[in-house]
Amino acid sequence: MRFNKETDAMRDIMGLMKQAQDMQQKMANVQAELDTIEVEGAAGGGMVTVTMTAKGALKAVKIDPALMVPDEREILEDLIVAASSDARSRADRVMQERMAEITKGLPIPPGMKLF
């Protein structure tokens, strides 16, 4: 009877190892996918937009020509920062959604970050 318990335990361990390998592969796939997903953030009613990947790599900044006023440089700088922050928030949401797909059904403690 002891042999059966050891065999069952070994099967359980092998199953857990397989799940871990599958999850590791899925995470690698998501990491690669996040490099290709682009999100856009905006500020100033869309007068400044920032495009970045879901991993946070800045791809483009677009500024409405009406904002190109020499004496209002600080406003423009603030809008660029705000648009970048908006894009980063969107990228974080995309990343969380992708991770939720991978970890669905796994006993991961709340608040534990995998990225």
Side-chain angles (χ1 to χ4, degrees), residues 95-106:
M95 191 179 301
Q96 288 172 358
E97 289 168 3
R98 295 300 191 271
M99 286 306 300
E101 292 170 11
I102 290 175
T103 60
K104 187 175 16 181
L106 295 176

Side-chain angles (χ1 to χ4, degrees), residues 3-21:
F3 179 74
N4 288 336
K5 286 182 183 180
E6 289 176 3
T7 302
D8 290 345
M10 191 62 138
R11 244 185 251 134
D12 289 346
I13 290 171
M14 296 294 283
L16 286 173
M17 289 176 64
K18 174 71 172 132
Q19 284 180 338
Q21 288 174 339

Side-chain angles (χ1 to χ4, degrees), residues 1-101:
M1 182 140 208
R2 182 178 170 112
F3 179 74
N4 288 336
K5 286 182 183 180
E6 289 176 3
T7 302
D8 290 345
M10 191 62 138
R11 244 185 251 134
D12 289 346
I13 290 171
M14 296 294 283
L16 286 173
M17 289 176 64
K18 174 71 172 132
Q19 284 180 338
Q21 288 174 339
D22 290 346
M23 187 170 141
Q24 188 176 26
Q25 182 59 50
K26 287 178 184 178
M27 287 180 75
N29 293 344
V30 167
Q31 285 286 344
E33 179 186 2
L34 292 174
D35 277 330
T36 63
I37 295 173
E38 291 186 357
V39 295
E40 189 173 275
M47 294 184 82
V48 173
T49 60
V50 171
T51 304
M52 67 174 51
T53 67
K55 284 180 100 175
L58 187 62
K59 293 294 200 172
V61 176
K62 293 179 186 170
I63 301 168
D64 188 303
L67 290 174
M68 300 295 190
V69 178
D71 294 340
E72 296 182 7
R73 181 177 57 98
E74 287 182 21
I75 293 171
L76 180 55
E77 290 169 348
D78 290 343
L79 289 173
I80 293 170
V81 170
S84 296
S85 179
D86 184 42
R88 182 71 244 167
S89 294
R90 293 170 190 259
D92 287 345
R93 280 195 300 273
V94 168
M95 191 179 301
Q96 288 172 358
E97 289 168 3
R98 295 300 191 271
M99 286 306 300
E101 292 170 11

